[in-house]
């Protein structure tokens, strides 16, 4: 089966840096996604990692270690608008396809 | 259209009634996915379409749930004889790449919030 774990909730201060961890145990691996979801809105794509290492995109970076089944999303220079749920999703085999399996999401609260 | 469109945005129904939820994907996207999101839960995969065929129906929770896609575009998710536990947000996503092609970035609609009384 597929198991994806991430913290339920995190809080941080505006301007700070926060790291959201995701660990996974899946039968097969074809990439890991991070999505951002504001309350009542659609999830939106942030990043994709399929090889080990760090991918940087502006204030957001994502890291992957396949041997450890581990990823993190790093948010720098936090802004109030970064308050949202962050979803980790692992693409793994399912019935001949690769369907992303989502974790429960980490609710990030940024306060002044 | 500019993005994935879902309708209705909200649906309140009585237990036992049938409901139909609609998803209009991004033009040209061949892959389409349905997920269910309950409060405090992750996105639960329901079904995936590649074109008009559904190679993976493994997530449908019961035979009360069915989905179809016509013309490689619009999809409808039908729930028959709704139960209170069906209450959730139903999200649809589409991707340019198929589900066997690695970096299949999903673009989500805003969802349909279903409330079964």
């Amino acid at each position: 089966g597929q198991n994806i774990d991430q913290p339920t909730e995190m809080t941080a201060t505006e301007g700070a840096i926060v790291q959201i961890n995701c660990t996974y145990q899946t039968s097969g691996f074809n990439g890991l996604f991070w999505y951002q979801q504001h309350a009542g809105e659609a999830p939106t794509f942030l990043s994709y990692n399929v090889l080990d290492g760090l991918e940087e995109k502006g204030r957001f970076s994502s890291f992957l270690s396949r041997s450890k089944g581990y990823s993190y999303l790093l948010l720098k220079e936090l802004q109030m608008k970064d308050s949202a749920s962050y979803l980790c999703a692992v693409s793994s085999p399912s019935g001949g396809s690769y369907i992303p399996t989502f974790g429960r999401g980490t609710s990030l609260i940024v306060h002044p | 259209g500019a993005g994935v469109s879902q309708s209705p945005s909200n649906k309140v129904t009585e237990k036992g009634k049938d409901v139909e939820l609609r998803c209009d994907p991004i033009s040209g996207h061949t892959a389409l996915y349905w997920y269910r999101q309950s409060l405090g839960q992750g996105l639960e995969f329901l079904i995936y379409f590649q074109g008009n065929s559904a190679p993976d129906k493994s997530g449908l929770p019961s035979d009360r749930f069915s989905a179809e896609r016509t013309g490689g575009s619009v999809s409808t998710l039908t729930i028959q004889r709704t139960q209170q536990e069906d209450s959730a947000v139903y999200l649809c996503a589409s991707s340019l790449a198929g589900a066997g092609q690695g970096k299949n970035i999903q673009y989500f609609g805003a969802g349909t919030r279903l409330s079964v009384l």
Side-chain angles (χ1 to χ4, degrees):
Chain A
Q2 327 287 19
N3 189 41
I4 300 172
D5 285 317
Q6 37 180 147
T8 303
E9 187 175 292
M10 298 183 71
T11 60
T13 305
E14 192 176 14
I17 299 173
V18 70
Q19 177 175 312
I20 302 174
N21 296 325
C22 172
T23 58
Y24 63 90
Q25 294 172 309
T26 58
S27 51
F29 179 84
N30 196 35
L32 186 145
F33 299 83
W34 284 95
Y35 286 84
Q36 179 191 60
Q37 185 179 24
H38 286 100
E41 298 183 10
T44 55
F45 170 77
L46 289 177
S47 67
Y48 172 76
N49 295 69
V50 67
L51 300 176
D52 291 352
L54 188 68
E55 294 277 345
E56 298 187 78
K57 192 188 295 185
R59 296 190 297 115
F60 293 10
S61 303
S62 56
F63 171 83
L64 175 67
S65 168
R66 288 171 296 171
S67 62
K68 295 181 179 178
Y70 168 70
S71 172
Y72 67 72
L73 180 69
L74 192 72
L75 292 74
K76 302 176 186 175
E77 301 168 19
L78 280 172
Q79 302 175 10
M80 299 297 289
K81 68 178 182 179
D82 296 329
S83 293
S85 183
Y86 291 85
L87 311 176
C88 172
V90 176
S91 184
S92 56
S94 173
S97 304
Y98 284 87
I99 305 296
T101 299
F102 284 79
R104 295 188 174 193
T106 298
S107 178
L108 174 66
I109 300 168
V110 180
H111 55 82
Chain B
V4 177
S5 177
Q6 291 187 247
S7 61
S9 54
N10 283 284
K11 177 71 177 179
V12 180
T13 190
E14 294 179 350
K15 177 181 170 181
K17 300 282 190 183
D18 297 351
V19 296
E20 235 180 49
L21 313 180
R22 176 188 167 106
C23 173
D24 202 341
I26 293 173
S27 178
H29 281 195
T30 59
L32 185 148
Y33 313 76
W34 282 99
Y35 291 88
R36 179 167 70 174
Q37 188 174 36
S38 303
L39 193 63
Q41 302 295 313
L43 271 67
E44 175 190 2
F45 169 74
L46 298 178
I47 189 170
Y48 154 68
F49 286 92
Q50 182 62 43
N52 290 336
S53 65
D56 193 341
K57 303 179 182 180
S58 61
L60 293 177
S62 77
D63 58 8
R64 296 187 295 105
F65 287 72
S66 63
E68 65 174 14
R69 189 180 185 195
T70 55
S73 181
V74 172
S75 175
T76 55
L77 176 70
T78 302
I79 309 173
Q80 295 179 311
R81 305 180 303 282
T82 52
Q83 303 294 313
Q84 288 183 331
E85 61 261 29
D86 299 334
S87 296
V89 176
Y90 289 81
L91 290 166
C92 173
S94 67
S95 65
L96 186 60
Q101 299 178 37
K103 190 178 179 181
N104 50 333
I105 297 171
Q106 295 173 305
Y107 296 84
F108 285 84
T112 294
R113 181 174 298 278
L114 176 66
S115 300
V116 182
L117 305 180

